[in-house]
Amino acid sequence: MNIIIVKNYNDMSRKAAHLFVGQILQKPDSVLGLATGSTPVGLYTELIKFYKEGMIDFNDVQAFNLDEYLELKPSHEQSYAYFMQKNLFEHINIRPENYHIPSGTANYQEKECERYEALIAEAGGIDLQILGIGRNGHIGFNEPDIKFEAITHVVQLDEQTINDNARFFDNIDDVPKTAISMGIKTIMQSRGIILLASGIEKADAVAGMIGGKITPELPASVLQLHPNVTIIVDEAAASKIPSKNI
Ligand code: PGA
């Protein structure tokens, strides 16, 4: 694991953007794995700036999002399809046929999972995947005790995740309880991974991911087994990493 500790959220976002820009310059038809939540918003803002300055071109880029809530239409303000439009896609020249998000409203959810996994394989796999981390150590919506062998699948959200995500909804009862998520195996098949974490509330999960036992109880700990992972964390999120690991 390559661990980069930066001062704050803005520095984390800039550093991650530089790695993404480098990836796209090296391989203009890169397949990117994208994430939602508060963590990658700054990264997307930086990428939009690079695009507007003419430094990168998304015309040949493909993108796959990690997850989507079940039962929210893409037009719902809290769907991840909507989030991606507002925070990235509508500001850059990525082609609509080139970005993919699992459908939260598919009639046959298992079929949708199979379709999504096959689409990633057809694209040649993911070159660079961005991840956040939940306070419970989840990556994507792979909650504690997930099987490392899982590919794209339907997941039940943890109580902690539902509580954490309630801030985006008017009422906690409106937070979906299920989602479709890439599995741990899907994520581990990415050729490169960048995980971002900011803020003291992520410090325990980050410390466990880097310095703790590799266990499904803390899904992100599986990243210790990936050959090409960069962890970019701000000082607060890094504050509990054991010193032997830095
Ligand atoms: P957050 O979520 O970026 O909103 O903190 C991260 C995650 O749950 O993976």
Side-chain angles (χ1 to χ4, degrees), residues 35-40 66-67 80 131-136 138-141 161 164-165 167-168 196 198 201-202:
T36 50
S38 307
T39 306
L66 277 170
D67 45 22
Y80 289 162
L131 296 175
I133 182 169
R135 284 196 300 142
N136 62 2
H138 74 198
I139 46 177
F141 271 138
T161 301
D164 286 348
N165 291 0
R167 69 190 194 277
F168 298 115
L196 306 181
S198 163
E201 62 283 4
K202 300 291 175 72

Side-chain angles (χ1 to χ4, degrees), residues 69-212:
Y69 288 122
L70 281 177
E71 283 164 30
L72 295 191
K73 292 200 182 110
S75 56
H76 190 290
E77 281 188 16
Q78 293 310 329
S79 76
Y80 289 162
Y82 188 91
F83 175 102
M84 290 308 300
Q85 283 300 332
K86 293 290 157 203
N87 287 290
L88 183 62
F89 297 152
E90 69 182 30
H91 306 284
I92 60 175
N93 69 331
I94 191 164
R95 289 189 277 157
E97 66 271 27
N98 280 355
Y99 57 76
H100 310 279
I101 299 176
S103 166
T105 52
N107 284 337
Y108 298 99
Q109 295 163 356
E110 301 302 332
K111 281 251 170 308
E112 172 59 10
C113 295
E114 282 170 27
R115 183 194 70 86
Y116 199 69
E117 191 73 24
L119 214 54
I120 296 172
E122 216 176 281
I126 291 169
D127 290 305
L128 188 58
Q129 173 71 55
I130 188 80
L131 296 175
I133 182 169
R135 284 196 300 142
N136 62 2
H138 74 198
I139 46 177
F141 271 138
N142 293 286
E143 304 286 30
D145 296 325
I146 194 79
K147 288 198 171 54
F148 285 168
E149 276 299 305
I151 56 173
T152 301
H153 60 321
V154 172
V155 293
Q156 305 292 322
L157 304 190
D158 244 27
E159 207 174 310
Q160 185 168 45
T161 301
I162 293 169
N163 287 334
D164 286 348
N165 291 0
R167 69 190 194 277
F168 298 115
F169 292 81
D170 292 337
N171 188 316
I172 192 163
D173 295 333
D174 296 339
V175 184
K177 313 283 181 290
T178 52
I180 289 181
S181 178
M182 284 185 200
I184 295 287
K185 192 169 174 180
T186 323
I187 293 170
M188 287 297 279
Q189 284 172 347
S190 304
R191 286 180 277 281
I193 295 176
I194 298 173
L195 183 140
L196 306 181
S198 163
I200 188 70
E201 62 283 4
K202 300 291 175 72
D204 286 321
V206 166
M209 163 179 69
I210 293 172

Side-chain angles (χ1 to χ4, degrees), residues 23-32 57-63 95 98 123 125 127 191:
Q23 170 70 36
I24 295 167
L25 289 176
Q26 270 181 16
K27 188 174 179 237
D29 59 351
S30 287
V31 181
L32 305 180
D57 182 0
F58 288 88
N59 189 54
D60 295 326
V61 167
Q62 292 191 67
R95 289 189 277 157
N98 280 355
D127 290 305
R191 286 180 277 281

